[in-house]
Amino acid sequence: MRKTSGVSLLLLIFLSLCLITFSLLSLSGAAADEKLSRKAADRTTEYYNAASESYRIISEIDAQLASCLEKAKDTASPGQTWYTQCARIPELLSRMSGIIWDANQRTLTFDVTVSDSQVLHVVLSVHYPESDSDTMYEITSWKIVNIQEWNPDKSQKLYRKGVSS
């Protein structure tokens, strides 16, 4: 019978344990990446749903602005009549709550919910068109706003030498 020291067996066991460890680490990393990718995809979907809803609201506002423009063109002071008519847009679109007319800055503002903690805040700057090819508004703000207060986790379990719990 041949006597061996068993080094080759120990080396085989060590390499097998290394391969198993690395495969488990790869598997856990892939699972974490999948979870993060899913969250990113969900967040992107929520944002684009809110953006789509915002564009729908803007198209309704655009239709109301066109109607106001037609009414204002037939008057003696079309610019003044135009802004007076614009003030009625939130009233005309009453089924959509949250549209606000600011007469001083001549802006229409509204928010669309993105998630439980965020809204898409849109501000349209309304102006009387100088020619038929001009637009009646300009999007001056399009941003995500957090509506929930951030509460950081302040609890920490610290080790204090000499203090027993």
Side-chain angles (χ1 to χ4, degrees):
M1 215 159 124
R2 191 169 155 203
K3 290 188 174 186
T4 60
S5 63
V7 172
S8 60
L9 180 61
L10 286 176
L11 185 61
L12 183 64
I13 291 172
F14 176 72
L15 287 175
S16 298
L17 287 174
C18 286
L19 287 174
I20 290 171
T21 302
F22 288 137
S23 66
L24 290 175
L25 286 173
S26 296
L27 183 64
S28 69
D33 287 346
E34 179 192 15
K35 185 178 177 182
L36 182 63
S37 296
R38 191 162 298 166
K39 277 185 176 180
D42 290 344
R43 175 154 166 63
T44 302
T45 301
E46 289 173 347
Y47 171 77
Y48 281 110
N49 285 339
S52 177
E53 177 66 16
S54 296
Y55 286 126
R56 189 187 64 72
I57 293 170
I58 289 172
S59 72
E60 290 191 27
I61 290 172
D62 190 40
Q64 290 298 326
L65 287 173
S67 172
C68 293
L69 183 63
E70 289 302 314
K71 291 175 186 174
K73 281 185 177 179
D74 298 334
T75 62
S77 60
Q80 185 61 35
T81 306
W82 157 260
Y83 289 115
T84 306
Q85 291 290 324
C86 289
R88 295 189 57 230
I89 288 178
E91 172 189 322
L92 295 171
L93 298 174
S94 60
R95 66 187 177 284
M96 288 186 274
S97 63
I99 298 176
I100 300 168
W101 168 255
D102 182 353
N104 294 331
Q105 296 187 2
R106 296 178 176 165
T107 58
L108 285 166
T109 306
F110 62 92
D111 293 332
V112 176
T113 302
V114 175
S115 66
D116 295 339
S117 60
Q118 294 180 328
V119 294
L120 179 60
H121 181 73
V122 180
V123 178
L124 302 176
S125 178
V126 178
H127 52 84
Y128 187 76
E130 298 296 322
S131 68
D132 291 339
S133 63
D134 284 349
T135 60
M136 296 173 276
Y137 63 88
E138 182 179 338
I139 299 174
T140 55
S141 178
W142 182 280
K143 63 182 176 180
I144 297 288
V145 177
N146 290 324
I147 56 174
Q148 215 173 38
E149 186 177 327
W150 181 61
N151 295 318
D153 182 15
K154 294 181 180 179
S155 63
Q156 295 180 357
K157 299 197 186 246
L158 300 175
Y159 173 74
R160 290 188 182 171
K161 188 175 180 177
V163 177
S164 61
S165 37

